[in-house]
């Protein structure tokens, strides 16, 4: 698949990127380079290869799922412009 200048202009417009007419040949060339690399990746035989999320095997640390109040009410309310009775105070917006 090859990208021409009109297709590159259409992609730029869809991406809402302003590209001057004199820059379209370079953009089309970059798109073609990217597509060429993807075509190379499609040629790789990946039968029997397990999918992975990282190059090193990792296990996330697990913790017990316990519901609590966070014990940080004072720290959180310290950032509030107006706090009353342990809650954020906000102006009334609906009459």
């Amino acid at each position: 698949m090859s990208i021409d200048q009109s297709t590159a202009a259409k992609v730029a417009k869809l991406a809402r990127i302003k590209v001057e007419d004199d820059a379209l040949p370079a953009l089309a060339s970059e798109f073609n380079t990217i597509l060429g690399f993807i075509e190379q990746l499609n040629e790789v035989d990946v039968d029997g290869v397990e999918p992975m999320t990282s190059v090193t095997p990792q296990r996330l640390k697990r913790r017990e799922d316990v519901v609590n109040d966070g014990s940080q009410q004072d720290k959180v309310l310290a950032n509030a412009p107006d706090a009353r009775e342990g809650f954020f105070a906000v102006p009334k917006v609906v009459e």
Side-chain angles (χ1 to χ4, degrees), residues 27-67:
L27 182 63
S29 175
E30 286 184 43
F31 284 152
N32 286 321
T33 302
I34 293 168
L35 290 176
F37 180 69
I38 292 171
E39 287 175 4
Q40 284 181 341
L41 290 176
N42 286 333
E43 295 173 4
V44 176
D45 181 23
V46 292
D47 291 336
V49 177
E50 292 289 324
M52 60 183 193
T53 58
S54 175
V55 293
T56 58
Q58 298 177 5
R59 293 269 314 167
L60 294 176
K61 294 179 183 177
R62 305 242 182 226
R63 64 173 171 79
E64 191 172 333
D65 192 11
V66 178
V67 177

PDB file of all heavy atoms in Angstrom, residues 27-67:
ATOM      1  N   LEU A  27       5.495  14.288   4.303  1.00  0.00           N
ATOM      2  CA  LEU A  27       4.533  13.589   5.144  1.00  0.00           C
ATOM      3  C   LEU A  27       4.127  12.264   4.505  1.00  0.00           C
ATOM      4  O   LEU A  27       4.064  11.231   5.174  1.00  0.00           O
ATOM      5  CB  LEU A  27       3.305  14.463   5.392  1.00  0.00           C
ATOM      6  CG  LEU A  27       2.232  13.870   6.299  1.00  0.00           C
ATOM      7  CD1 LEU A  27       2.779  13.628   7.696  1.00  0.00           C
ATOM      8  CD2 LEU A  27       1.014  14.789   6.349  1.00  0.00           C
ATOM      9  N   ALA A  28       3.869  12.280   3.194  1.00  0.00           N
ATOM     10  CA  ALA A  28       3.515  11.047   2.491  1.00  0.00           C
ATOM     11  C   ALA A  28       4.665  10.045   2.565  1.00  0.00           C
ATOM     12  O   ALA A  28       4.442   8.845   2.755  1.00  0.00           O
ATOM     13  CB  ALA A  28       3.164  11.346   1.039  1.00  0.00           C
ATOM     14  N   SER A  29       5.886  10.522   2.461  1.00  0.00           N
ATOM     15  CA  SER A  29       7.053   9.645   2.568  1.00  0.00           C
ATOM     16  C   SER A  29       7.147   9.020   3.955  1.00  0.00           C
ATOM     17  O   SER A  29       7.441   7.826   4.093  1.00  0.00           O
ATOM     18  CB  SER A  29       8.319  10.432   2.247  1.00  0.00           C
ATOM     19  OG  SER A  29       9.455   9.633   2.446  1.00  0.00           O
ATOM     20  N   GLU A  30       6.883   9.816   4.996  1.00  0.00           N
ATOM     21  CA  GLU A  30       6.900   9.282   6.360  1.00  0.00           C
ATOM     22  C   GLU A  30       5.820   8.223   6.545  1.00  0.00           C
ATOM     23  O   GLU A  30       6.069   7.173   7.163  1.00  0.00           O
ATOM     24  CB  GLU A  30       6.706  10.407   7.371  1.00  0.00           C
ATOM     25  CG  GLU A  30       7.912  11.287   7.535  1.00  0.00           C
ATOM     26  CD  GLU A  30       7.709  12.329   8.615  1.00  0.00           C
ATOM     27  OE1 GLU A  30       7.171  11.984   9.697  1.00  0.00           O
ATOM     28  OE2 GLU A  30       8.070  13.493   8.374  1.00  0.00           O
ATOM     29  N   PHE A  31       4.628   8.486   6.022  1.00  0.00           N
ATOM     30  CA  PHE A  31       3.561   7.488   6.105  1.00  0.00           C
ATOM     31  C   PHE A  31       3.972   6.198   5.413  1.00  0.00           C
ATOM     32  O   PHE A  31       3.736   5.100   5.913  1.00  0.00           O
ATOM     33  CB  PHE A  31       2.264   8.027   5.482  1.00  0.00           C
ATOM     34  CG  PHE A  31       1.527   9.012   6.348  1.00  0.00           C
ATOM     35  CD1 PHE A  31       0.735   9.987   5.770  1.00  0.00           C
ATOM     36  CD2 PHE A  31       1.600   8.976   7.724  1.00  0.00           C
ATOM     37  CE1 PHE A  31       0.036  10.897   6.546  1.00  0.00           C
ATOM     38  CE2 PHE A  31       0.908   9.880   8.511  1.00  0.00           C
ATOM     39  CZ  PHE A  31       0.126  10.840   7.918  1.00  0.00           C
ATOM     40  N   ASN A  32       4.580   6.315   4.238  1.00  0.00           N
ATOM     41  CA  ASN A  32       5.007   5.129   3.507  1.00  0.00           C
ATOM     42  C   ASN A  32       6.091   4.362   4.255  1.00  0.00           C
ATOM     43  O   ASN A  32       6.124   3.130   4.235  1.00  0.00           O
ATOM     44  CB  ASN A  32       5.481   5.511   2.103  1.00  0.00           C
ATOM     45  CG  ASN A  32       4.316   5.852   1.206  1.00  0.00           C
ATOM     46  OD1 ASN A  32       3.271   5.208   1.253  1.00  0.00           O
ATOM     47  ND2 ASN A  32       4.473   6.892   0.406  1.00  0.00           N
ATOM     48  N   THR A  33       6.989   5.074   4.933  1.00  0.00           N
ATOM     49  CA  THR A  33       8.021   4.418   5.736  1.00  0.00           C
ATOM     50  C   THR A  33       7.384   3.642   6.885  1.00  0.00           C
ATOM     51  O   THR A  33       7.762   2.497   7.156  1.00  0.00           O
ATOM     52  CB  THR A  33       9.011   5.462   6.295  1.00  0.00           C
ATOM     53  OG1 THR A  33       9.591   6.177   5.205  1.00  0.00           O
ATOM     54  CG2 THR A  33      10.099   4.815   7.107  1.00  0.00           C
ATOM     55  N   ILE A  34       6.414   4.242   7.541  1.00  0.00           N
ATOM     56  CA  ILE A  34       5.715   3.577   8.644  1.00  0.00           C
ATOM     57  C   ILE A  34       4.982   2.335   8.139  1.00  0.00           C
ATOM     58  O   ILE A  34       5.052   1.251   8.738  1.00  0.00           O
ATOM     59  CB  ILE A  34       4.744   4.546   9.341  1.00  0.00           C
ATOM     60  CG1 ILE A  34       5.530   5.644  10.052  1.00  0.00           C
ATOM     61  CG2 ILE A  34       3.830   3.814  10.317  1.00  0.00           C
ATOM     62  CD1 ILE A  34       4.692   6.811  10.524  1.00  0.00           C
ATOM     63  N   LEU A  35       4.271   2.475   7.028  1.00  0.00           N
ATOM     64  CA  LEU A  35       3.547   1.328   6.469  1.00  0.00           C
ATOM     65  C   LEU A  35       4.501   0.229   6.024  1.00  0.00           C
ATOM     66  O   LEU A  35       4.199  -0.962   6.162  1.00  0.00           O
ATOM     67  CB  LEU A  35       2.663   1.780   5.310  1.00  0.00           C
ATOM     68  CG  LEU A  35       1.449   2.627   5.705  1.00  0.00           C
ATOM     69  CD1 LEU A  35       0.718   3.100   4.463  1.00  0.00           C
ATOM     70  CD2 LEU A  35       0.520   1.860   6.615  1.00  0.00           C
ATOM     71  N   GLY A  36       5.675   0.608   5.510  1.00  0.00           N
ATOM     72  CA  GLY A  36       6.676  -0.388   5.135  1.00  0.00           C
ATOM     73  C   GLY A  36       7.160  -1.171   6.344  1.00  0.00           C
ATOM     74  O   GLY A  36       7.355  -2.399   6.276  1.00  0.00           O
ATOM     75  N   PHE A  37       7.357  -0.488   7.450  1.00  0.00           N
ATOM     76  CA  PHE A  37       7.773  -1.169   8.675  1.00  0.00           C
ATOM     77  C   PHE A  37       6.687  -2.120   9.152  1.00  0.00           C
ATOM     78  O   PHE A  37       6.970  -3.243   9.586  1.00  0.00           O
ATOM     79  CB  PHE A  37       8.103  -0.143   9.755  1.00  0.00           C
ATOM     80  CG  PHE A  37       8.548  -0.756  11.046  1.00  0.00           C
ATOM     81  CD1 PHE A  37       9.773  -1.410  11.135  1.00  0.00           C
ATOM     82  CD2 PHE A  37       7.752  -0.688  12.166  1.00  0.00           C
ATOM     83  CE1 PHE A  37      10.186  -1.984  12.322  1.00  0.00           C
ATOM     84  CE2 PHE A  37       8.156  -1.268  13.361  1.00  0.00           C
ATOM     85  CZ  PHE A  37       9.380  -1.922  13.434  1.00  0.00           C
ATOM     86  N   ILE A  38       5.432  -1.699   9.072  1.00  0.00           N
ATOM     87  CA  ILE A  38       4.326  -2.572   9.481  1.00  0.00           C
ATOM     88  C   ILE A  38       4.253  -3.800   8.587  1.00  0.00           C
ATOM     89  O   ILE A  38       4.010  -4.919   9.055  1.00  0.00           O
ATOM     90  CB  ILE A  38       2.995  -1.786   9.483  1.00  0.00           C
ATOM     91  CG1 ILE A  38       3.022  -0.740  10.590  1.00  0.00           C
ATOM     92  CG2 ILE A  38       1.799  -2.705   9.652  1.00  0.00           C
ATOM     93  CD1 ILE A  38       1.878   0.237  10.566  1.00  0.00           C
ATOM     94  N   GLU A  39       4.496  -3.636   7.295  1.00  0.00           N
ATOM     95  CA  GLU A  39       4.505  -4.779   6.386  1.00  0.00           C
ATOM     96  C   GLU A  39       5.626  -5.748   6.751  1.00  0.00           C
ATOM     97  O   GLU A  39       5.455  -6.963   6.667  1.00  0.00           O
ATOM     98  CB  GLU A  39       4.646  -4.311   4.938  1.00  0.00           C
ATOM     99  CG  GLU A  39       3.384  -3.658   4.406  1.00  0.00           C
ATOM    100  CD  GLU A  39       3.558  -3.072   3.007  1.00  0.00           C
ATOM    101  OE1 GLU A  39       4.637  -3.234   2.416  1.00  0.00           O
ATOM    102  OE2 GLU A  39       2.603  -2.441   2.529  1.00  0.00           O
ATOM    103  N   GLN A  40       6.785  -5.221   7.179  1.00  0.00           N
ATOM    104  CA  GLN A  40       7.869  -6.089   7.633  1.00  0.00           C
ATOM    105  C   GLN A  40       7.446  -6.877   8.867  1.00  0.00           C
ATOM    106  O   GLN A  40       7.771  -8.064   8.995  1.00  0.00           O
ATOM    107  CB  GLN A  40       9.119  -5.284   7.974  1.00  0.00           C
ATOM    108  CG  GLN A  40       9.896  -4.793   6.781  1.00  0.00           C
ATOM    109  CD  GLN A  40      11.136  -4.020   7.205  1.00  0.00           C
ATOM    110  OE1 GLN A  40      11.243  -3.563   8.339  1.00  0.00           O
ATOM    111  NE2 GLN A  40      12.059  -3.864   6.280  1.00  0.00           N
ATOM    112  N   LEU A  41       6.744  -6.226   9.791  1.00  0.00           N
ATOM    113  CA  LEU A  41       6.290  -6.918  10.993  1.00  0.00           C
ATOM    114  C   LEU A  41       5.290  -8.020  10.655  1.00  0.00           C
ATOM    115  O   LEU A  41       5.253  -9.061  11.325  1.00  0.00           O
ATOM    116  CB  LEU A  41       5.653  -5.928  11.973  1.00  0.00           C
ATOM    117  CG  LEU A  41       6.603  -4.954  12.651  1.00  0.00           C
ATOM    118  CD1 LEU A  41       5.822  -3.973  13.514  1.00  0.00           C
ATOM    119  CD2 LEU A  41       7.629  -5.680  13.486  1.00  0.00           C
ATOM    120  N   ASN A  42       4.481  -7.815   9.629  1.00  0.00           N
ATOM    121  CA  ASN A  42       3.510  -8.835   9.228  1.00  0.00           C
ATOM    122  C   ASN A  42       4.182 -10.075   8.672  1.00  0.00           C
ATOM    123  O   ASN A  42       3.582 -11.150   8.653  1.00  0.00           O
ATOM    124  CB  ASN A  42       2.530  -8.265   8.206  1.00  0.00           C
ATOM    125  CG  ASN A  42       1.532  -7.325   8.833  1.00  0.00           C
ATOM    126  OD1 ASN A  42       1.213  -7.432  10.008  1.00  0.00           O
ATOM    127  ND2 ASN A  42       1.031  -6.391   8.045  1.00  0.00           N
ATOM    128  N   GLU A  43       5.431  -9.963   8.221  1.00  0.00           N
ATOM    129  CA  GLU A  43       6.148 -11.112   7.670  1.00  0.00           C
ATOM    130  C   GLU A  43       6.748 -12.006   8.755  1.00  0.00           C
ATOM    131  O   GLU A  43       7.155 -13.121   8.476  1.00  0.00           O
ATOM    132  CB  GLU A  43       7.262 -10.625   6.742  1.00  0.00           C
ATOM    133  CG  GLU A  43       6.749  -9.909   5.509  1.00  0.00           C
ATOM    134  CD  GLU A  43       7.861  -9.280   4.689  1.00  0.00           C
ATOM    135  OE1 GLU A  43       9.046  -9.461   5.042  1.00  0.00           O
ATOM    136  OE2 GLU A  43       7.543  -8.608   3.697  1.00  0.00           O
ATOM    137  N   VAL A  44       6.803 -11.546   9.985  1.00  0.00           N
ATOM    138  CA  VAL A  44       7.408 -12.312  11.070  1.00  0.00           C
ATOM    139  C   VAL A  44       6.489 -13.455  11.473  1.00  0.00           C
ATOM    140  O   VAL A  44       5.289 -13.282  11.652  1.00  0.00           O
ATOM    141  CB  VAL A  44       7.679 -11.398  12.289  1.00  0.00           C
ATOM    142  CG1 VAL A  44       8.213 -12.195  13.458  1.00  0.00           C
ATOM    143  CG2 VAL A  44       8.638 -10.295  11.910  1.00  0.00           C
ATOM    144  N   ASP A  45       7.078 -14.659  11.617  1.00  0.00           N
ATOM    145  CA  ASP A  45       6.323 -15.836  12.029  1.00  0.00           C
ATOM    146  C   ASP A  45       6.181 -15.819  13.550  1.00  0.00           C
ATOM    147  O   ASP A  45       7.165 -15.928  14.279  1.00  0.00           O
ATOM    148  CB  ASP A  45       7.045 -17.108  11.589  1.00  0.00           C
ATOM    149  CG  ASP A  45       6.291 -18.366  11.984  1.00  0.00           C
ATOM    150  OD1 ASP A  45       5.069 -18.289  12.195  1.00  0.00           O
ATOM    151  OD2 ASP A  45       6.941 -19.430  12.090  1.00  0.00           O
ATOM    152  N   VAL A  46       4.964 -15.645  14.041  1.00  0.00           N
ATOM    153  CA  VAL A  46       4.727 -15.570  15.476  1.00  0.00           C
ATOM    154  C   VAL A  46       3.920 -16.763  15.986  1.00  0.00           C
ATOM    155  O   VAL A  46       3.400 -16.722  17.103  1.00  0.00           O
ATOM    156  CB  VAL A  46       4.013 -14.248  15.849  1.00  0.00           C
ATOM    157  CG1 VAL A  46       4.907 -13.068  15.630  1.00  0.00           C
ATOM    158  CG2 VAL A  46       2.712 -14.105  15.093  1.00  0.00           C
ATOM    159  N   ASP A  47       3.849 -17.840  15.203  1.00  0.00           N
ATOM    160  CA  ASP A  47       3.137 -19.034  15.656  1.00  0.00           C
ATOM    161  C   ASP A  47       3.823 -19.598  16.890  1.00  0.00           C
ATOM    162  O   ASP A  47       5.033 -19.791  16.922  1.00  0.00           O
ATOM    163  CB  ASP A  47       3.100 -20.093  14.548  1.00  0.00           C
ATOM    164  CG  ASP A  47       2.213 -19.675  13.391  1.00  0.00           C
ATOM    165  OD1 ASP A  47       1.306 -18.855  13.621  1.00  0.00           O
ATOM    166  OD2 ASP A  47       2.436 -20.161  12.263  1.00  0.00           O
ATOM    167  N   GLY A  48       3.045 -19.850  17.923  1.00  0.00           N
ATOM    168  CA  GLY A  48       3.572 -20.428  19.152  1.00  0.00           C
ATOM    169  C   GLY A  48       4.195 -19.419  20.100  1.00  0.00           C
ATOM    170  O   GLY A  48       4.729 -19.804  21.137  1.00  0.00           O
ATOM    171  N   VAL A  49       4.174 -18.146  19.767  1.00  0.00           N
ATOM    172  CA  VAL A  49       4.736 -17.121  20.646  1.00  0.00           C
ATOM    173  C   VAL A  49       3.628 -16.603  21.543  1.00  0.00           C
ATOM    174  O   VAL A  49       2.589 -16.153  21.077  1.00  0.00           O
ATOM    175  CB  VAL A  49       5.362 -15.967  19.833  1.00  0.00           C
ATOM    176  CG1 VAL A  49       5.877 -14.889  20.761  1.00  0.00           C
ATOM    177  CG2 VAL A  49       6.461 -16.483  18.934  1.00  0.00           C
ATOM    178  N   GLU A  50       3.867 -16.680  22.851  1.00  0.00           N
ATOM    179  CA  GLU A  50       2.875 -16.211  23.808  1.00  0.00           C
ATOM    180  C   GLU A  50       2.840 -14.684  23.829  1.00  0.00           C
ATOM    181  O   GLU A  50       3.892 -14.042  23.808  1.00  0.00           O
ATOM    182  CB  GLU A  50       3.215 -16.716  25.206  1.00  0.00           C
ATOM    183  CG  GLU A  50       3.056 -18.214  25.364  1.00  0.00           C
ATOM    184  CD  GLU A  50       1.608 -18.636  25.355  1.00  0.00           C
ATOM    185  OE1 GLU A  50       0.762 -17.890  25.882  1.00  0.00           O
ATOM    186  OE2 GLU A  50       1.322 -19.705  24.800  1.00  0.00           O
ATOM    187  N   PRO A  51       1.671 -14.077  23.892  1.00  0.00           N
ATOM    188  CA  PRO A  51       1.597 -12.625  24.019  1.00  0.00           C
ATOM    189  C   PRO A  51       2.180 -12.193  25.362  1.00  0.00           C
ATOM    190  O   PRO A  51       2.102 -12.933  26.347  1.00  0.00           O
ATOM    191  CB  PRO A  51       0.108 -12.311  23.959  1.00  0.00           C
ATOM    192  CG  PRO A  51      -0.597 -13.583  23.748  1.00  0.00           C
ATOM    193  CD  PRO A  51       0.369 -14.695  23.817  1.00  0.00           C
ATOM    194  N   MET A  52       2.779 -11.005  25.398  1.00  0.00           N
ATOM    195  CA  MET A  52       3.354 -10.531  26.652  1.00  0.00           C
ATOM    196  C   MET A  52       3.079  -9.045  26.810  1.00  0.00           C
ATOM    197  O   MET A  52       2.831  -8.338  25.845  1.00  0.00           O
ATOM    198  CB  MET A  52       4.851 -10.799  26.704  1.00  0.00           C
ATOM    199  CG  MET A  52       5.659 -10.138  25.626  1.00  0.00           C
ATOM    200  SD  MET A  52       7.371 -10.627  25.794  1.00  0.00           S
ATOM    201  CE  MET A  52       8.134  -9.441  24.716  1.00  0.00           C
ATOM    202  N   THR A  53       3.147  -8.597  28.045  1.00  0.00           N
ATOM    203  CA  THR A  53       2.920  -7.190  28.331  1.00  0.00           C
ATOM    204  C   THR A  53       4.211  -6.473  28.679  1.00  0.00           C
ATOM    205  O   THR A  53       4.238  -5.254  28.762  1.00  0.00           O
ATOM    206  CB  THR A  53       1.939  -7.020  29.498  1.00  0.00           C
ATOM    207  OG1 THR A  53       2.469  -7.696  30.642  1.00  0.00           O
ATOM    208  CG2 THR A  53       0.581  -7.589  29.151  1.00  0.00           C
ATOM    209  N   SER A  54       5.283  -7.219  28.886  1.00  0.00           N
ATOM    210  CA  SER A  54       6.567  -6.630  29.245  1.00  0.00           C
ATOM    211  C   SER A  54       7.673  -7.573  28.786  1.00  0.00           C
ATOM    212  O   SER A  54       7.454  -8.772  28.611  1.00  0.00           O
ATOM    213  CB  SER A  54       6.650  -6.420  30.755  1.00  0.00           C
ATOM    214  OG  SER A  54       7.935  -5.961  31.122  1.00  0.00           O
ATOM    215  N   VAL A  55       8.877  -7.038  28.609  1.00  0.00           N
ATOM    216  CA  VAL A  55       9.996  -7.891  28.201  1.00  0.00           C
ATOM    217  C   VAL A  55      10.539  -8.690  29.371  1.00  0.00           C
ATOM    218  O   VAL A  55      11.263  -9.662  29.185  1.00  0.00           O
ATOM    219  CB  VAL A  55      11.128  -7.060  27.556  1.00  0.00           C
ATOM    220  CG1 VAL A  55      10.668  -6.471  26.246  1.00  0.00           C
ATOM    221  CG2 VAL A  55      11.639  -5.995  28.496  1.00  0.00           C
ATOM    222  N   THR A  56      10.207  -8.296  30.576  1.00  0.00           N
ATOM    223  CA  THR A  56      10.617  -9.046  31.760  1.00  0.00           C
ATOM    224  C   THR A  56       9.374  -9.549  32.466  1.00  0.00           C
ATOM    225  O   THR A  56       8.383  -8.825  32.598  1.00  0.00           O
ATOM    226  CB  THR A  56      11.428  -8.167  32.741  1.00  0.00           C
ATOM    227  OG1 THR A  56      10.645  -7.038  33.114  1.00  0.00           O
ATOM    228  CG2 THR A  56      12.723  -7.706  32.106  1.00  0.00           C
ATOM    229  N   PRO A  57       9.390 -10.799  32.913  1.00  0.00           N
ATOM    230  CA  PRO A  57       8.193 -11.315  33.597  1.00  0.00           C
ATOM    231  C   PRO A  57       7.997 -10.592  34.924  1.00  0.00           C
ATOM    232  O   PRO A  57       8.910 -10.494  35.726  1.00  0.00           O
ATOM    233  CB  PRO A  57       8.501 -12.791  33.802  1.00  0.00           C
ATOM    234  CG  PRO A  57       9.974 -12.924  33.663  1.00  0.00           C
ATOM    235  CD  PRO A  57      10.446 -11.787  32.815  1.00  0.00           C
ATOM    236  N   GLN A  58       6.799 -10.067  35.118  1.00  0.00           N
ATOM    237  CA  GLN A  58       6.500  -9.320  36.328  1.00  0.00           C
ATOM    238  C   GLN A  58       5.141  -9.738  36.873  1.00  0.00           C
ATOM    239  O   GLN A  58       4.243 -10.065  36.117  1.00  0.00           O
ATOM    240  CB  GLN A  58       6.455  -7.818  36.050  1.00  0.00           C
ATOM    241  CG  GLN A  58       7.737  -7.236  35.569  1.00  0.00           C
ATOM    242  CD  GLN A  58       7.582  -5.750  35.250  1.00  0.00           C
ATOM    243  OE1 GLN A  58       6.548  -5.152  35.481  1.00  0.00           O
ATOM    244  NE2 GLN A  58       8.636  -5.159  34.727  1.00  0.00           N
ATOM    245  N   ARG A  59       5.044  -9.714  38.176  1.00  0.00           N
ATOM    246  CA  ARG A  59       3.755  -9.912  38.824  1.00  0.00           C
ATOM    247  C   ARG A  59       3.455  -8.663  39.615  1.00  0.00           C
ATOM    248  O   ARG A  59       4.309  -8.148  40.330  1.00  0.00           O
ATOM    249  CB  ARG A  59       3.787 -11.106  39.777  1.00  0.00           C
ATOM    250  CG  ARG A  59       3.960 -12.445  39.144  1.00  0.00           C
ATOM    251  CD  ARG A  59       2.730 -13.157  38.793  1.00  0.00           C
ATOM    252  NE  ARG A  59       1.714 -13.144  39.836  1.00  0.00           N
ATOM    253  CZ  ARG A  59       0.482 -13.503  39.602  1.00  0.00           C
ATOM    254  NH1 ARG A  59       0.127 -13.903  38.425  1.00  0.00           N
ATOM    255  NH2 ARG A  59      -0.411 -13.471  40.551  1.00  0.00           N
ATOM    256  N   LEU A  60       2.265  -8.147  39.490  1.00  0.00           N
ATOM    257  CA  LEU A  60       1.874  -6.980  40.253  1.00  0.00           C
ATOM    258  C   LEU A  60       1.699  -7.366  41.716  1.00  0.00           C
ATOM    259  O   LEU A  60       1.234  -8.465  42.026  1.00  0.00           O
ATOM    260  CB  LEU A  60       0.573  -6.396  39.717  1.00  0.00           C
ATOM    261  CG  LEU A  60       0.635  -5.808  38.315  1.00  0.00           C
ATOM    262  CD1 LEU A  60      -0.754  -5.367  37.881  1.00  0.00           C
ATOM    263  CD2 LEU A  60       1.590  -4.636  38.277  1.00  0.00           C
ATOM    264  N   LYS A  61       2.082  -6.463  42.593  1.00  0.00           N
ATOM    265  CA  LYS A  61       1.881  -6.696  44.012  1.00  0.00           C
ATOM    266  C   LYS A  61       0.392  -6.724  44.288  1.00  0.00           C
ATOM    267  O   LYS A  61      -0.359  -5.879  43.820  1.00  0.00           O
ATOM    268  CB  LYS A  61       2.561  -5.610  44.834  1.00  0.00           C
ATOM    269  CG  LYS A  61       4.053  -5.621  44.710  1.00  0.00           C
ATOM    270  CD  LYS A  61       4.669  -4.512  45.526  1.00  0.00           C
ATOM    271  CE  LYS A  61       6.174  -4.509  45.326  1.00  0.00           C
ATOM    272  NZ  LYS A  61       6.820  -3.400  46.033  1.00  0.00           N
ATOM    273  N   ARG A  62      -0.018  -7.694  45.041  1.00  0.00           N
ATOM    274  CA  ARG A  62      -1.438  -7.825  45.348  1.00  0.00           C
ATOM    275  C   ARG A  62      -1.683  -7.342  46.769  1.00  0.00           C
ATOM    276  O   ARG A  62      -0.850  -7.482  47.643  1.00  0.00           O
ATOM    277  CB  ARG A  62      -1.863  -9.284  45.225  1.00  0.00           C
ATOM    278  CG  ARG A  62      -1.525  -9.884  43.878  1.00  0.00           C
ATOM    279  CD  ARG A  62      -2.771 -10.301  43.200  1.00  0.00           C
ATOM    280  NE  ARG A  62      -2.433 -10.928  41.920  1.00  0.00           N
ATOM    281  CZ  ARG A  62      -3.044 -10.652  40.826  1.00  0.00           C
ATOM    282  NH1 ARG A  62      -4.008  -9.786  40.827  1.00  0.00           N
ATOM    283  NH2 ARG A  62      -2.714 -11.230  39.699  1.00  0.00           N
ATOM    284  N   ARG A  63      -2.834  -6.773  46.969  1.00  0.00           N
ATOM    285  CA  ARG A  63      -3.242  -6.372  48.307  1.00  0.00           C
ATOM    286  C   ARG A  63      -4.690  -6.768  48.497  1.00  0.00           C
ATOM    287  O   ARG A  63      -5.447  -6.911  47.538  1.00  0.00           O
ATOM    288  CB  ARG A  63      -3.051  -4.881  48.527  1.00  0.00           C
ATOM    289  CG  ARG A  63      -3.919  -4.022  47.642  1.00  0.00           C
ATOM    290  CD  ARG A  63      -3.793  -2.553  48.028  1.00  0.00           C
ATOM    291  NE  ARG A  63      -4.445  -1.696  47.072  1.00  0.00           N
ATOM    292  CZ  ARG A  63      -5.756  -1.476  47.016  1.00  0.00           C
ATOM    293  NH1 ARG A  63      -6.564  -2.077  47.861  1.00  0.00           N
ATOM    294  NH2 ARG A  63      -6.274  -0.667  46.113  1.00  0.00           N
ATOM    295  N   GLU A  64      -5.053  -6.963  49.734  1.00  0.00           N
ATOM    296  CA  GLU A  64      -6.425  -7.314  50.032  1.00  0.00           C
ATOM    297  C   GLU A  64      -7.333  -6.127  49.726  1.00  0.00           C
ATOM    298  O   GLU A  64      -6.991  -4.979  50.016  1.00  0.00           O
ATOM    299  CB  GLU A  64      -6.529  -7.700  51.505  1.00  0.00           C
ATOM    300  CG  GLU A  64      -7.839  -8.338  51.854  1.00  0.00           C
ATOM    301  CD  GLU A  64      -7.850  -8.873  53.261  1.00  0.00           C
ATOM    302  OE1 GLU A  64      -6.778  -9.219  53.777  1.00  0.00           O
ATOM    303  OE2 GLU A  64      -8.935  -8.931  53.846  1.00  0.00           O
ATOM    304  N   ASP A  65      -8.451  -6.381  49.109  1.00  0.00           N
ATOM    305  CA  ASP A  65      -9.400  -5.334  48.740  1.00  0.00           C
ATOM    306  C   ASP A  65     -10.284  -5.025  49.940  1.00  0.00           C
ATOM    307  O   ASP A  65     -11.276  -5.701  50.209  1.00  0.00           O
ATOM    308  CB  ASP A  65     -10.238  -5.786  47.547  1.00  0.00           C
ATOM    309  CG  ASP A  65     -11.030  -4.658  46.932  1.00  0.00           C
ATOM    310  OD1 ASP A  65     -10.772  -3.491  47.283  1.00  0.00           O
ATOM    311  OD2 ASP A  65     -11.905  -4.939  46.092  1.00  0.00           O
ATOM    312  N   VAL A  66      -9.884  -3.999  50.687  1.00  0.00           N
ATOM    313  CA  VAL A  66     -10.587  -3.640  51.910  1.00  0.00           C
ATOM    314  C   VAL A  66     -11.147  -2.230  51.759  1.00  0.00           C
ATOM    315  O   VAL A  66     -10.438  -1.322  51.332  1.00  0.00           O
ATOM    316  CB  VAL A  66      -9.622  -3.686  53.123  1.00  0.00           C
ATOM    317  CG1 VAL A  66     -10.339  -3.260  54.392  1.00  0.00           C
ATOM    318  CG2 VAL A  66      -9.037  -5.068  53.275  1.00  0.00           C
ATOM    319  N   VAL A  67     -12.402  -2.059  52.109  1.00  0.00           N
ATOM    320  CA  VAL A  67     -13.035  -0.744  52.046  1.00  0.00           C
ATOM    321  C   VAL A  67     -12.714  -0.004  53.337  1.00  0.00           C
ATOM    322  O   VAL A  67     -12.893  -0.523  54.437  1.00  0.00           O
ATOM    323  CB  VAL A  67     -14.561  -0.878  51.884  1.00  0.00           C
ATOM    324  CG1 VAL A  67     -15.226   0.488  51.904  1.00  0.00           C
ATOM    325  CG2 VAL A  67     -14.890  -1.626  50.605  1.00  0.00           C
TER     326      VAL A  67
END
